[in-house]
Amino acid sequence: MLLGILLFLCCAMGVLVYETNGLITEFESFIFESSSRESTVTLTPDQQVAAFSTMIREKQSHFFSTILVALIAIMLTTLILSLRHVIRSVREEDHPAADIPDDISLPDTVPEAPDMVRSEIFEALEKMDALLEEDEPANDPDEEFTADFEFIDDEDEGDSGVLADSYNKMVEALQRTNELEKELSSQLADANARLETEVSERKRAEKEIRHLSRQLISGTEEAQKKLAQDLHDEFGQTLAALHMGVEALWNSIPEEMTGQRDRITALIGLIEELGDKIRSISSDLRPDLLDDLGLIPTLDWYCREFTEKYPRISVDFQSVGFKKRISPEIELILYRIVQESLNNVMKYAKARSVEVMLTYSYPKVILMVRDDGTGFDPGKRTGGIGLIGMRERAVSVNGTVDIRSEKGKGTTIRGELPVS
Ligand SMILES: Nc1ncnc2c1ncn2[C@@H]1O[C@H](COP(=O)(O)OP(=O)(O)OP(=O)(O)O)[C@@H](O)[C@H]1O
Ligand SMILES: [Mg+2]
């Protein structure tokens, strides 16, 4: 501390001697210049005293500020020296608790206050703030964001120039990003438009396929219906006539010709069998009941017939919520789905019981056929077209068919079709 005060006094004295010398030299040159100059004005002694006192005041303020700076410098130097001293003494004593790193460094000189640099930095920062405030993006999220920044003049040297340069680089990068974004947006819009066209094309194609499939199904159904009618009407009548004729023949043969009579009896049996077959085929092709009485009585009859034909499989049919008939096209599709499901049960399931449940739940009808048989893997493709046909029929009227099955856990077929 004492060293500091001594240093300060020495500095103050030095500065005082230096400044006084400078002042005298300056006053001498001023008087010399005034007298040697070609001038009409000559300084009176009063004026010379006034000029001298002004110079003294100027020098006074310069002297005090120099003293102040010197004082701060001396205090900092003293502080640094004291700290160095303390660190050295701690290290020398090798105190166990002292953990002072070896690379600790203290400044050798007192840093100068960088007033000029600071003011330039502040100026540049203010410029940047003002620009950013002007170009703040709108809060509306729908409004397009445009980074419309201006470049700052970066001709200045020093820190403000560096700041302006960095700012300009940032603006350039933002503008490039903006351009890239615009380009990407337009590419995205093009891709979207293409996608939309493809999607609408696809939808149109799907609609067309559904329409064609519906036409095909209804064409097939029409053909089957005609075949069923022809079988029933033509063959049925012919067989009935044949039956009557053979019966008449049987009656005309004398009782003692038992051999002939037996052969004719067997013929009658064959004709009746043929009649049953034709009726069954014709009913499979298109049951008369469906057109005449509607879906519910037809399914009820079909399920009972099935159990009669295959007594080891019991079929339970239930319907819920049907108060009136639904569209004939939907009735026929539902009938076909039940028909194919029960055929598959009979062929593959080894089931003991089957539930057929039909529920009217406007605007759709829900069909469920569930068996307790072997089950299968619905994802596995086979050569059959029964399950595919079910789906095709449902899709053709905007409905769905869902097949759930697992080996050993039975099979459930669920169909949902619109009421009309
Ligand atoms: N209820 C079921 N239980 C067990 N397996 C079944 C059942 N339903 C279908 N399958 C299996 O699914 C396969 C495909 O059935 P799908 O009805 O499509 O064809 P298919 O009956 O073999 O032939 P198609 O119906 O064309 O005469 C069948 O081969 C059978 O292995
Ligand atoms: Mg099948």
Side-chain angles (χ1 to χ4, degrees), residues 78-89:
T78 315
L79 195 71
I80 289 164
L81 286 174
S82 319
L83 268 172
R84 277 178 186 284
H85 178 70
V86 170
I87 291 168
R88 210 176 300 123
S89 68

Side-chain angles (χ1 to χ4, degrees), residues 138-175:
N139 284 336
D140 186 358
D142 293 337
E143 213 168 284
E144 202 188 331
F145 168 70
T146 50
D148 194 14
F149 295 106
E150 278 173 24
F151 289 97
I152 304 178
D153 182 14
D154 57 358
E155 291 296 301
D156 294 358
E157 283 182 6
D159 294 297
S160 63
V162 173
L163 263 179
D165 190 36
S166 312
Y167 175 78
N168 287 344
K169 277 184 186 148
M170 197 174 82
V171 170
E172 219 176 286
L174 267 173
Q175 281 174 347

